[in-house]
Amino acid sequence: MFLLLVIALIVVCCCAGDNDTIRYTNQLYSNSFGAPGENATFDYVVVGGGTAGNTIAARLAETPGTIVAVIEAGGFYDIDDGNLSVVPAYCFLGTGSDIADIFPYVDWSFVTTPQQGLNHRSLHYDRGKTLGGSSARNYVAYQRPTVDSLQMWADQVGDQSYTFDRMLPYYKKSTHFTPPDFTRRDTNIALNYDPKVFHNTRGGPLAVSYANYASLTASWFQIALTRAGVAINNGFNSGSLFGSQRSTSTIYPATSRRSSSQTSFLDQGVATGNLKVYKGTLARKALFKRYDTASGVLVTTDDQDYVLNARKGVIVLAGAFQSPQLLMFSGVGPLKTLNKYNIPIISALPGVGQNISFLINDPAHAAQVVINYNTNQTGPLTGFGYLAFEKFPPPIRATLSPATQHKLAQFPLDWSEAEYFAGDAYMGYNTNYMTADPHDGYNYATLAMSLRAREIWTQMANITIGLEYLPGPNVTSDEQILTFVRESAIGLFHAAATNRMGRRGEEGAVVDSSCRVFGTRGLRVVDSSAFPFLPPGHPQGIVYALAEKIADDDRRGK
């Protein structure tokens, strides 16, 4: 297992759109729910009402007469989790590494095995168990992989339709972009974006915009990063990640609420009348007829088992952990595992489940922040944080072992090797962001995921009070720094490639470039588990785009 490590340097700081054209709704229409406990037949059965699941279900349901079922184990996050999943700046809450920092109504409550390199800690691994999936639990960052990384994808799977230029129409199709509203946010940060990579007058239901807030510390981070050689990027959506920028976010600009696959694609899908949702329902396994043809899914709702039949296909989108799990329960997976549990074999694919890739203190001020959000949808609660990506500069690269340098050289030239997150918050040891705050009356800022944190902070010394708070100025030796890393590192919940896309007959490949499971008919896996590898950047954007592409492939009979 590879973990993207998040480490933080924390100091005390002295710094404290247009109307939505996309409907936001808190509930689906009353006739959009399937009848629990009753066998039923649809054209497609979609397993997982998450980021990709709701997207592909809504697109398939656009075809007149095509009826689609969506199976989701969770419910509605705005009901089960309230503001904690709706207000963008609360996105970190319930995502710490502490196994007690879990919101069980919207989280699968996964805990890793003890990690040897992290002082044998077991870490909470947040995964969305709700309509919207992890798009309802993520940090709302929307960006796209690089040109060379998608060329690597296309070459590896033998399908040039995955290059950046040929995927761009699917990125555009899924999103509705709103430029930043500078009447509702300060202009202290250079905020660049390329409107040509979005549809300016049309597009999909997913809202992509910017927070109605530009923190003062972020402006200093931007200056410090520039002085350290990290230039300002043009928005992270044009095929390049190098540089720093305020990331576009999945936020409704008028209301400053989270835009998830549930509030965008699912709501659009049920409006067609062709989509039925089975919430609170667990998919047990895919069923087959004529040995290898997927014919439906065995499901359970409130301890009642029943079958949802599929005339045209079963599409599995349960995420990087549960999609391979469902395949194995269905008889698709490593022969040794299937035999161990006496599961009848449909397709022996050794790659199933393998190859995983990963990554306010003043009470009066805090009260005003809430007032600003509730009255005019501005301020820190609309979203926070500033991102940057770079290749390791020569002085750092020279300190790496020859083996590490050799492995890094295998990636494309535009593949970022280091990410920076700068935020107006105390992140501590990344265990529990709700309880970690020192509560000492000071405002804190964090520069996380950076090997050059102290170097960058030297460019900002005039805005800090006192000494570095965490890990502290006395932590200087390699041994001390390594101890801090092992105690504070956390995964970034970007697991991928556990049902790896590849060529037929390729060792470890599970699905082809149209996400069809090898050795079966009518069965696809269309989520991050189908990635051939985890590309650079935050993956939300490419999950939506992949679902758009495969829905288009299906309509074209591919």
Side-chain angles (χ1 to χ4, degrees):
M1 177 185 293
F2 295 96
L3 291 177
L4 178 59
L5 300 183
V6 179
I7 56 177
L9 178 70
I10 299 177
V11 301
V12 180
C13 257
C14 56
C15 304
D18 299 326
N19 291 334
D20 286 336
T21 57
I22 303 170
R23 177 179 55 85
Y24 176 89
T25 179
N26 284 326
Q27 61 183 8
L28 298 177
Y29 304 115
S30 59
N31 65 349
S32 63
F33 297 104
E38 297 181 9
N39 295 342
T41 299
F42 303 87
D43 292 298
Y44 296 93
V45 176
V46 171
V47 179
T51 309
N54 291 335
T55 304
I56 201 167
R59 291 307 189 193
L60 293 174
E62 290 176 348
T63 301
T66 299
I67 310 301
V68 182
V70 175
I71 303 166
E72 171 54 45
F76 292 96
Y77 62 86
D78 55 350
I79 296 174
D80 296 334
D81 204 33
N83 287 341
L84 296 179
S85 289
V86 173
V87 178
Y90 291 158
C91 63
F92 285 91
L93 303 182
T95 67
S97 64
D98 189 340
I99 59 176
D101 187 27
I102 294 174
F103 296 163
Y105 293 114
V106 293
D107 184 354
W108 280 99
S109 305
F110 290 160
V111 176
T112 70
T113 57
Q115 301 296 298
Q116 182 178 356
L118 303 180
N119 287 348
H120 300 279
R121 290 186 294 137
S122 292
L123 281 62
H124 163 222
Y125 197 95
D126 185 50
R127 302 295 291 174
K129 182 185 178 182
T130 184
L131 286 163
S134 291
S135 74
R137 299 289 300 140
N138 63 23
Y139 298 163
V140 302
Y142 179 92
Q143 52 197 223
R144 298 162 183 173
T146 63
V147 170
D148 289 349
S149 67
L150 287 184
Q151 185 63 59
M152 179 179 171
W153 182 320
D155 293 343
Q156 187 166 312
V157 305
D159 186 342
Q160 295 304 305
S161 67
Y162 281 95
T163 63
F164 184 88
D165 287 343
R166 294 181 68 179
M167 286 294 290
L168 184 58
Y170 296 112
Y171 288 114
K172 289 182 175 182
K173 185 178 181 180
S174 62
T175 58
H176 185 100
F177 175 69
T178 302
D181 183 354
F182 288 107
T183 67
R184 306 175 74 190
R185 58 175 289 147
D186 293 330
T187 58
N188 53 297
I189 296 177
L191 208 164
N192 300 342
Y193 61 92
D194 182 1
K196 296 189 300 297
V197 298
F198 293 96
H199 282 309
N200 296 325
T201 58
R202 58 189 176 89
L206 181 70
V208 173
S209 187
Y210 293 90
N212 292 321
Y213 175 67
S215 76
L216 297 179
T217 50
S219 63
W220 285 99
F221 279 125
Q222 189 175 78
I223 293 170
L225 287 163
T226 301
R227 290 173 177 172
V230 182
I232 298 174
N233 184 278
N234 198 33
F236 298 142
N237 290 301
S238 303
S240 173
L241 291 174
F242 289 150
S244 74
Q245 189 53 254
R246 181 62 186 257
S247 179
T248 44
S249 301
T250 46
I251 297 174
Y252 291 101
T255 60
S256 291
R257 292 174 170 176
R258 176 191 295 272
S259 177
S260 71
S261 69
Q262 180 252 303
T263 63
S264 56
F265 282 95
L266 188 64
D267 280 6
Q268 175 177 283
V270 299
T272 67
N274 293 336
L275 197 152
K276 295 292 183 181
V277 177
Y278 288 82
K279 69 181 183 71
T281 299
L282 184 67
R284 306 293 295 275
K285 63 178 181 179
L287 303 175
F288 294 86
K289 63 182 179 181
R290 294 191 296 275
Y291 181 69
D292 63 354
T293 302
S295 60
V297 180
L298 174 66
V299 301
T300 300
T301 307
D302 294 331
D303 296 325
Q304 297 182 80
D305 293 342
Y306 56 106
V307 175
L308 301 181
N309 298 291
R311 285 185 287 259
K312 295 183 178 180
V314 172
I315 307 175
V316 178
L317 312 102
F321 301 128
Q322 285 146 303
S323 284
Q325 180 189 44
L326 184 71
L327 288 187
M328 286 187 274
F329 273 121
S330 307
V332 179
L335 192 60
K336 182 178 178 180
T337 302
L338 300 182
N339 286 335
K340 178 180 178 180
Y341 294 101
N342 297 316
I343 298 174
I345 297 166
I346 300 297
S347 180
L349 294 175
V352 173
Q354 311 304 309
N355 192 53
I356 193 167
S357 296
F358 281 83
L359 232 211
I360 305 170
N361 293 323
D362 178 353
H365 176 67
Q368 187 61 47
V369 164
V370 174
I371 292 173
N372 290 343
Y373 182 84
N374 287 335
T375 56
N376 54 30
Q377 295 74 54
T378 62
L381 291 184
T382 68
F384 67 98
Y386 188 82
L387 298 178
F389 299 86
E390 69 169 351
K391 287 279 192 187
F392 290 128
I396 289 182
R397 185 172 292 275
T399 67
L400 303 177
S401 69
T404 300
Q405 293 189 46
H406 175 72
K407 289 181 179 179
L408 291 176
Q410 298 175 25
F411 291 95
L413 292 177
D414 68 358
W415 192 295
S416 59
E417 297 168 344
E419 178 179 358
Y420 303 80
F421 169 80
D424 301 341
Y426 179 88
M427 297 180 69
Y429 283 85
N430 297 303
T431 55
N432 188 317
Y433 302 118
M434 187 176 292
T435 62
D437 194 288
H439 299 289
D440 56 8
Y442 290 106
N443 292 325
Y444 286 83
T446 296
L447 184 59
M449 298 185 287
S450 169
L451 294 178
R452 298 204 286 158
R454 283 174 169 157
E455 175 189 346
I456 292 168
W457 270 110
T458 60
Q459 308 291 339
M460 303 169 55
N462 56 327
I463 71 163
T464 61
I465 298 172
L467 301 175
E468 172 187 309
Y469 190 89
L470 189 72
N474 295 327
V475 176
T476 57
S477 70
D478 289 348
E479 183 179 356
Q480 290 172 321
I481 293 172
L482 181 58
T483 297
F484 172 67
V485 170
R486 286 177 167 166
E487 288 294 332
S488 63
I490 185 175
L492 266 191
F493 320 121
H494 295 167
T498 50
N499 291 312
R500 183 170 64 82
M501 185 183 296
R503 304 171 190 243
R504 182 176 296 276
E506 178 186 347
E507 183 179 358
V510 176
V511 300
D512 67 9
S513 63
S514 289
C515 292
R516 295 172 295 200
V517 178
F518 291 123
T520 71
R521 302 171 188 269
L523 180 63
R524 298 186 198 246
V525 177
V526 190
D527 56 24
S528 65
S529 74
F531 292 2
F533 51 80
L534 180 64
H538 293 246
Q540 179 176 206
I542 195 169
V543 172
Y544 280 110
L546 178 64
E548 291 274 22
K549 181 184 187 304
I550 301 305
D552 193 41
D553 283 354
D554 188 272
R555 282 193 293 263
R556 292 186 290 110
K558 183 177 177 182

